[in-house]
């Protein structure tokens, strides 16, 4: 169970007065960024999630600096009891990052059009590498279509992940109340909620503010992409996707590294003892090896026999076709010759004899 209280930052009277005059005073970008995030939601986890494109140490240094400047102060706040889904719960973008989000949305649009997937690199690059193996990593698929849900579960399960599924936002909330997954694949068009509103709800809650969320959607409009980046989506995947797309994107988002097998040192050989040569790779050691070899030989023989029979059938078919063509040609030639011989010649001019002319 999560602790009942968490570290919470809020603006001091000096910081609130400075933030209220942001339109009249030319505040530096760092001031606008930090005061905007703290004013929106002061949970430490939410602040780190909103500023995920910066290293954790940098964000912590900003928090200490602003606290020492008496612009913000830290306290302990109670942990939100439930996830509350509110329509249009989009997080307001930080003012000096609107152009960056727009540029990222254009790049994401190109990536989705060509590759079918886009990963928010700036958001995940500073994430600590995931050390759990795939068989201990839990993924939650939130998808209302039963066929798409079954397909996603199948492909992630084949990759070795432990997969659970939910058909709606309410079912997802019920699952999260029982346990927290390591990543969520979230559909945009759900029967009881909009996927972007669900993402905004997760990013507002300190328990799920930094939880990897991958949007699985058919929407590739620039406005939708910008909204997802604003809310803090770690990646986008468009439907339909490839067989290994979910696995590859999840590994990248988690910064998951594959552990390399440690090299086992060979046992030391005594100085005066000559090591026996290693057995050849094709050596037969057990009865199972002999049976496997015999089975392989039998399979190869059957395969050779089948290929020979197939080749012989092809030869017979070709010979039969040639014979039929020759017979047809011969028939037409004989018929033409017979017609030439049987036709009597008819003279064009009939000679007229003198006796036939009567005077």
């Amino acid at each position: 169970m999560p602790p009942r209280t968490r570290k919470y930052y809020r603006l001091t009277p000096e910081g609130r007065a400075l933030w209220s005059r942001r339109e009249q005073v030319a505040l530096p970008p760092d001031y606008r960024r930090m005061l905007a995030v703290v004013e929106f939601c002061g949970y430490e986890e939410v602040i780190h999630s909103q500023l995920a494109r910066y290293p954790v140490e940098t964000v912590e240094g900003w928090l200490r600096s602003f606290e020492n400047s008496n612009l913000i102060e830290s306290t302990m706040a109670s942990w939100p009891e439930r996830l509350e889904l509110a329509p249009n719960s989009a997080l307001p973008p930080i003012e000096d990052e609107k152009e960056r989000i727009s540029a990222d949305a254009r790049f994401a649009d190109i990536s989705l059009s060509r590759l079918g997937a886009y990963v928010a690199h700036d958001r995940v690059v500073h994430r600590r590498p995931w050390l759990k193996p795939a068989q201990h990593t839990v993924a939650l698929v939130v998808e209302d279509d039963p066929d798409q849900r079954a397909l996603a579960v199948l492909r992630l399960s084949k990759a070795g992940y432990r997969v659970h599924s939910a058909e709606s936002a309410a079912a997802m909330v019920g699952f999260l109340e029982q346990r927290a997954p390591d990543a969520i694949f979230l559909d945009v068009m759900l029967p009881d909620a909009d996927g972007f509103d669900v993402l905004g709800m997760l990013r507002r809650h300190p328990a799920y503010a930094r939880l990897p969320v991958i949007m699985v959607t058919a929407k590739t409009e620039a406005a939708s992409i910008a909204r997802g980046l604003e809310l803090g989506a770690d990646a986008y995947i468009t439907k339909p996707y490839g067989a290994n797309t979910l696995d590859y994107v999840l590994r990248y988002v988690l910064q998951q590294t594959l552990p390399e097998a440690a090299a086992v040192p060979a046992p030391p050989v005594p100085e005066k003892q000559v090591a026996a040569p290693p057995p050849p790779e094709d050596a037969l050691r057990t009865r199972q090896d002999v049976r496997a070899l015999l089975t392989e030989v039998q399979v190869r023989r059957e395969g050779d026999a089948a290929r020979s029979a197939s080749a012989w059938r092809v030869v017979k078919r070709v010979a039969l076709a040639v014979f039929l063509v020759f017979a047809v040609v011969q028939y037409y030639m004989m018929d033409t010759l017979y017609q030439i011989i049987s036709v009597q010649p008819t003279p064009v001019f009939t000679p007229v004899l003198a006796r036939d002319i009567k005077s």
Side-chain angles (χ1 to χ4, degrees):
M1 293 295 293
R4 294 184 178 275
T5 58
R6 300 294 296 175
K7 194 172 186 179
Y8 189 88
Y9 289 92
R10 61 189 179 188
L11 299 181
T12 62
E14 292 81 358
R16 191 169 300 280
L18 182 61
W19 177 244
S20 63
R21 299 179 58 193
R22 62 185 180 276
E23 300 297 338
Q24 294 80 22
V25 179
L27 292 178
D30 292 348
Y31 280 73
R32 288 182 173 271
R33 183 185 306 113
M34 184 58 62
L35 295 177
V37 173
V38 173
E39 172 66 12
F40 173 74
C41 186
Y43 285 107
E44 187 177 16
E45 294 81 1
V46 176
I47 294 174
H48 279 284
S49 176
Q50 286 295 291
L51 303 177
R53 75 186 191 97
Y54 301 100
V56 176
E57 296 77 10
T58 301
V59 178
E60 292 178 350
W62 286 341
L63 290 173
R64 289 193 298 268
S65 176
F66 276 74
E67 194 170 8
N68 294 334
S69 301
N70 199 30
L71 295 176
I72 63 174
E73 59 183 359
S74 61
T75 182
M76 302 302 292
S78 60
W79 188 283
E81 296 182 359
R82 292 181 56 85
L83 283 167
E84 296 182 359
L85 181 62
N88 301 322
S89 59
L91 305 180
I94 303 171
E95 294 185 11
D96 66 312
E97 295 189 352
K98 290 182 179 180
E99 296 182 359
R100 181 189 66 84
I101 291 177
S102 178
D104 289 350
R106 288 193 296 270
F107 179 78
D109 190 13
I110 298 174
S111 178
L112 289 173
S113 300
R114 295 182 178 179
L115 305 177
Y118 169 76
V119 177
H121 176 76
D122 289 345
R123 181 175 177 84
V124 305
V125 67
H126 299 298
R127 180 171 288 146
R128 295 177 181 176
W130 190 256
L131 301 180
K132 289 184 181 180
Q135 58 268 24
H136 297 304
T137 302
V138 179
L140 176 63
V141 176
V142 184
E143 170 66 60
D144 62 321
D145 185 88
D147 295 332
Q148 291 287 339
R149 186 168 62 249
L151 179 62
V153 170
L154 175 63
R155 290 181 173 175
L156 287 171
S157 299
K158 280 188 175 182
Y161 292 97
R162 299 171 58 187
V163 190
H164 298 270
S165 63
E167 69 278 3
S168 63
M172 182 203 73
V173 172
F175 180 89
L176 294 179
E177 290 178 351
Q178 301 297 324
R179 60 178 302 183
D182 299 313
I184 294 180
F185 289 87
L186 180 61
D187 186 20
V188 172
M189 293 176 286
L190 296 172
D192 57 346
D194 183 270
F196 292 119
D197 292 336
V198 175
L199 177 60
M201 172 188 66
L202 295 173
R203 291 298 182 239
R204 284 174 175 269
H205 198 288
Y208 313 108
R210 304 176 72 178
L211 177 67
V213 178
I214 301 169
M215 307 299 293
V216 183
T217 175
K219 293 185 175 182
T220 58
E221 300 84 0
S224 298
I225 298 171
R227 186 181 180 192
L229 293 176
E230 170 193 341
L231 292 167
D234 294 285
Y236 285 86
I237 297 176
T238 54
K239 304 174 185 177
Y241 43 80
N244 299 319
T245 302
L246 300 183
D247 173 26
Y248 290 162
V249 172
L250 180 57
R251 288 187 183 277
Y252 189 91
V253 166
L254 292 177
Q255 298 291 293
Q256 194 172 34
T257 57
L258 297 177
E260 299 180 357
V264 180
V269 180
E271 296 180 359
K272 297 183 179 181
Q273 182 179 359
V274 180
E281 295 181 357
D282 56 351
L284 303 178
R285 299 182 178 85
T286 63
R287 294 182 179 179
Q288 288 77 9
D289 295 338
V290 176
R291 292 178 182 176
L293 179 60
L294 294 177
T295 302
E296 182 179 359
V297 171
Q298 182 65 22
V299 170
R300 289 184 179 180
R301 286 179 179 175
E302 294 177 357
D304 294 340
R307 285 190 291 271
S308 300
S310 177
W312 178 242
R313 286 194 297 269
V314 171
V315 171
K316 290 193 294 184
R317 290 174 181 174
V318 172
L320 180 60
V322 172
F323 176 77
L324 291 176
V325 171
F326 178 76
V328 171
V329 173
Q330 185 179 17
Y331 170 78
Y332 278 104
M333 289 180 62
M334 294 299 295
D335 183 68
T336 304
L337 182 61
Y338 173 76
Q339 291 181 8
I340 293 174
I341 295 175
S342 61
V343 173
Q344 296 295 331
T346 304
V348 177
F349 299 100
T350 303
V352 179
L353 301 178
R355 63 175 178 269
D356 295 333
I357 301 175
K358 296 180 181 181
S359 56

